Amino acid sequence: KQTLPLTHLISDPAKKPRQRYVQKDGKCNVHHGNVQETYRYLSDLFTTLVDLRWRLSLFIFTLVYVVNWLFFGFLWWLIALIRGDLVHADEEGWTPCVENLNSFVSAFLFSIETETTIGYGYRVITEKCPEGIILLLLQAILGSIVNAMMVGCMFVKISQPKNRAETLMFSHNAVISVRDNKMCLMFRVGDLRNSHIVEASIRAKLIRSQQTKEGEFIPLNQTDINIGFDTGDDRLFLVSPLIISHEINEKSPFWEMSLAQMEKEEFEIVVILEGMVEATGMTCQARSSYLDTEVLWGHRFTPVLSLEKGFYEVDYNNFHDVYETNTPTCSAKELARLEIQDICLLSPTCAILLY
């Protein structure tokens, strides 16, 4: 029986650092340049406003309200100017459109009182001003639309579950070792909160450049990594940290990769964890990635779960820890062939079929 080399670590110091497709914190390292059809962002204005940075969102929020109040304040001042209220306001028997409106500043203040329904009672519209009544209705309607849009944007932005992903953890490294006599690629995920992710599911993608048989070069080609879609293992009950395992079989992109071949490869494994936040019911997504240099060949994860009196305790100090284990350095395909050869040594009929 052949003896197989033992464990190794994929970390060639000669390798140049390469650019990530997805950062460790889940941010996608892709920038969209030379976008000429910028009008498409305006066609979905609500999403555009929600996606803006906080400082820009607060600036636009303030600007929209101030411009709206100034615009209607100008209209109230214009009505008073055309009717002559600014000139005859102090005359006895004169009924202005808006009482105590005698300047642009007072018109601006009346606009704010009208739209925010403050109603101090000092400036009041009179019933002998039909144009003022129409403007009052118009400002009430448009003000409600502005309130709904801006407050809605702020509510959605505040309640976004992006920060929930901050308490979802991925191990710093992925590992490759033998599990149940099969080569497996594994990584660990965990949730720090007591409120759990509902309907949690996980998937993984292999990102690497590829050249087709016809010579076409495909940069950053995405290949699916099966982590239990057909068996349901991709749907998680994430109460305690879990080790996610990908069996390296004939359908795996790592099927023909040995340790020596993997050291020469440049790739990135992107993992995506999705689920609903239990408290809000909103969908949350957490992402991370592993470069080829962050895949540890011949390692396993250190256990983190222990049984205490009446409960299970998770030790997150060991969450990222791994330890070495005896692992063949050949590919999973070669390992399967060697296992078949060992079996066939005991069966002449099998040996004839094999050769």
Side-chain angles (χ1 to χ4, degrees):
K1 184 175 179 178
Q2 287 184 263
T3 58
L4 298 173
L6 300 182
T7 181
H8 283 275
L9 172 65
I10 304 177
S11 59
D12 186 358
K15 275 191 174 183
K16 296 181 180 179
R18 52 188 296 264
Q19 193 68 49
R20 286 184 179 272
Y21 189 62
V22 175
Q23 301 288 356
K24 272 295 190 182
D25 58 2
K27 294 179 181 178
C28 297
N29 197 23
V30 178
H31 297 270
H32 301 282
N34 299 323
V35 179
Q36 298 180 357
E37 298 178 348
T38 53
Y39 66 88
R40 293 180 180 271
Y41 293 104
L42 297 177
S43 62
D44 187 12
L45 185 59
F46 186 85
T47 304
T48 301
L49 292 174
V50 171
D51 288 341
L52 292 175
R53 293 185 177 182
W54 266 108
R55 57 178 176 268
L56 193 55
S57 294
L58 292 174
F59 174 75
I60 292 178
F61 183 86
T62 305
L63 183 65
V64 167
Y65 275 108
V66 171
V67 170
N68 186 48
W69 295 333
L70 285 171
F71 172 72
F72 281 102
F74 172 76
L75 293 182
W76 286 114
W77 175 82
L78 188 62
I79 290 176
L81 179 65
I82 294 174
R83 285 174 53 89
D85 293 344
L86 301 179
V87 178
H88 305 288
D90 296 331
E91 296 181 4
E92 293 186 8
W94 182 265
T95 304
C97 183
V98 179
E99 293 182 359
N100 301 311
L101 194 154
N102 48 28
S103 65
F104 179 78
V105 175
S106 60
F108 174 66
L109 294 175
F110 179 71
S111 174
I112 296 176
E113 293 176 31
T114 301
E115 192 160 325
T116 57
T117 65
I118 294 175
Y120 290 120
Y122 183 67
R123 279 173 283 271
V124 182
I125 186 171
T126 61
E127 59 185 15
K128 295 184 179 180
C129 183
E131 60 271 26
I133 296 174
I134 294 174
L135 181 58
L136 179 64
L137 293 174
L138 185 63
Q139 185 173 6
I141 294 171
L142 292 181
S144 298
I145 295 174
V146 170
N147 286 335
M149 188 167 186
M150 299 313 298
V151 174
C153 285
M154 283 297 163
F155 176 79
V156 172
K157 195 169 184 65
I158 292 171
S159 60
Q160 275 184 317
K162 288 183 179 180
N163 292 333
R164 179 62 176 89
E166 297 295 327
T167 53
L168 296 173
M169 295 179 61
F170 295 89
S171 57
H172 290 160
N173 298 96
V175 299
I176 292 178
S177 61
V178 177
R179 174 182 273 193
D180 293 330
N181 297 323
K182 295 178 181 178
M183 294 282 282
C184 293
L185 169 73
M186 293 169 283
F187 58 92
R188 183 147 61 187
V189 298
D191 187 2
L192 298 178
R193 286 191 179 273
N194 291 325
S195 59
H196 309 303
I197 295 293
V198 182
E199 296 291 333
S201 63
I202 194 163
R203 50 198 171 97
K205 294 283 185 180
L206 176 65
I207 310 294
R208 64 175 175 178
S209 299
Q210 177 183 336
Q211 190 166 8
T212 65
K213 296 178 181 179
E214 296 77 17
E216 179 188 2
F217 179 73
I218 305 176
L220 301 177
N221 182 55
Q222 299 185 15
T223 305
D224 189 60
I225 298 176
N226 186 1
I227 48 179
F229 177 77
D230 49 349
T231 60
D233 291 338
D234 63 327
R235 294 184 287 276
L236 310 179
F237 182 49
L238 196 58
V239 177
S240 61
L242 299 175
I243 296 176
I244 309 301
S245 176
H246 161 65
E247 180 185 329
I248 303 178
N249 53 27
E250 297 87 345
K251 298 181 180 179
S252 171
F254 304 103
W255 173 241
E256 297 182 353
M257 280 192 192
S258 64
L259 171 61
Q261 290 171 321
M262 193 171 286
E263 287 176 343
K264 300 175 184 178
E265 291 281 344
E266 288 189 354
F267 62 85
E268 184 175 349
I269 301 171
V270 177
V271 293
I272 305 167
L273 175 62
E274 293 179 318
M276 290 188 299
V277 180
E278 187 178 40
T280 63
M282 300 184 72
T283 302
C284 171
Q285 184 181 92
R287 298 181 292 265
S288 188
S289 71
Y290 303 99
L291 294 178
D292 49 275
T293 54
E294 295 171 338
V295 179
L296 308 182
W297 189 291
H299 285 71
R300 288 186 184 142
F301 286 105
T302 303
V304 296
L305 198 62
S306 61
L307 178 60
E308 303 295 333
K309 288 186 178 180
F311 61 91
Y312 292 95
E313 184 176 4
V314 178
D315 184 7
Y316 279 99
N317 288 330
N318 300 327
F319 183 83
H320 303 287
D321 293 349
V322 296
Y323 64 92
E324 293 190 41
T325 181
N326 292 342
T327 304
T329 58
C330 63
S331 66
K333 180 180 180 180
E334 181 68 14
L335 180 62
R337 188 183 69 82
L338 292 174
E339 289 177 350
I340 294 175
Q341 283 183 349
D342 291 341
I343 294 173
C344 288
L345 289 176
L346 305 175
S347 174
T349 306
C350 177
I352 293 172
L353 292 174
L354 181 64
Y355 295 102

